[in-house]
Structures are given as C-alpha cells and as structure tokens.
Amino acid sequence: KEYFMREVLCTSLAGNRCDVLTIGKTTETAPCVVISARVHSGETCASWMIHGLLDFLLGESPEAVRIRNMVCVKIIPMLNPDGVICGKSRFSLAGVDLNRMYSDPNPNLHPTVFHFRELLQTIPNLRFFCDFHGHSKKQNIFAYACSPSRLNR
C-alpha cells in the first residue's frame, strides 16, 4: 500500500531485525505520532495492542483514512526482539532492562534503544509518543505519563 512502509531501524545483539513501520503522511511537515512496544519481551499483550492498532490504521474506515491523510504514524512493534525470541521476560540478551537504558544507551549493548532514541530525535514534528506495556497488577486500560515539571529535563 502506498501509505505503508516497513524499514529496519537496526539489528539487535543477536542480529535480529528491529523494524519501524510508517503509516500515513511521510512529509517532514506532517505531525508525527510514535508508538513502541515489547521493550519488556514478556508483555505479550503489547503485541496484541499493536496488532489491533495496525488492523485499524491499515483498514478502510473513514477514521483510519482521515488519520493516514493527516498524520505520520511510526510504530516500532518490538524493541526487544532478542528477549522475545529467547524467552526472556523482562531483560535483553545483555541482561538489562532496556526500559532503564533510554538516558544513556550503549550502541553495542543496547542497539535497539540507542537507534530508537536517535530516531525520536530526528523527527521534526513529533506530537505524541506512547510505549505499550503490560502490567502485573493493573487491569484493563490505564496510562502513566510524565508530569509537566519533568518534561524539560
């Protein structure tokens, strides 16, 4: 489809693909939404959420067509492919929680987070970012967010 593109963001420690899916407008002036998932490989519900999101965004409903015509959506469906493939529940092959590496990722030990962070910094019109997770105790849908006082750190 002309409004869908799949690219390799990078390869993981084990050489697995970490893909970026782009849906909708691809001009630099288009507002951009970024969604990631599976930084914790055991949170399989994140894959189901991404699957539903892709079904919707690639569908022919008037809402999906309108979104594609207005916005660039970038989806990184699996930030920890090695953990998923090797059956880890939370950590990468480097033995770390990749969700704790965003402030200073090592390109050799945490390549997916390193390249994802670089991608985020190159998007000129980033309007929204959401990372899909699961939770061991919370049920249904919920959200955590940064407080405004922490945004300028």
Side-chain angles (χ1 to χ4, degrees):
K1 297 182 179 185
E2 67 275 358
Y3 50 80
F4 175 82
M5 183 172 35
R6 177 183 174 190
E7 301 170 281
V8 176
L9 174 67
C10 66
T11 55
S12 66
L13 267 173
N16 295 304
R17 291 172 60 121
C18 180
D19 288 333
V20 179
L21 311 177
T22 303
I23 299 169
K25 292 188 97 74
T26 57
T27 64
E28 287 193 13
T29 59
C32 190
V33 171
V34 176
I35 299 169
S36 64
R38 298 297 294 266
V39 70
H40 294 140
S41 49
E43 296 173 356
T44 55
C45 56
S47 285
W48 288 105
M49 291 186 284
I50 291 292
H51 182 80
L53 179 64
L54 289 171
D55 278 352
F56 168 72
L57 289 174
L58 296 173
E60 295 305 322
S61 72
E63 297 85 2
V65 171
R66 185 165 184 237
I67 289 169
R68 290 194 307 261
N69 288 332
M70 294 174 52
V71 178
C72 171
V73 180
K74 291 196 174 283
I75 299 173
I76 297 82
M78 193 175 296
L79 272 167
N80 187 1
D82 295 345
V84 170
I85 291 166
C86 295
K88 306 286 185 187
S89 62
R90 192 168 181 91
F91 298 121
S92 70
L93 286 186
V96 298
D97 181 349
L98 291 176
N99 206 38
R100 305 289 181 253
M101 298 294 121
Y102 282 101
S103 62
D104 190 26
N106 180 303
N108 298 313
L109 294 175
H110 325 115
T112 59
V113 171
F114 178 84
H115 290 283
F116 178 52
R117 185 176 168 192
E118 279 193 339
L119 172 70
L120 289 174
Q121 293 172 344
T122 65
I123 298 172
N125 223 357
L126 181 60
R127 294 288 193 248
F128 179 77
F129 167 64
C130 183
D131 186 30
F132 287 4
H133 281 267
H135 199 281
S136 61
K137 295 181 181 173
K138 290 205 178 275
Q139 296 179 359
N140 301 317
I141 296 172
F142 62 93
Y144 290 124
C146 295
S147 67
S149 64
R150 295 183 57 147
L151 291 178
N152 292 324
R153 285 187 179 182

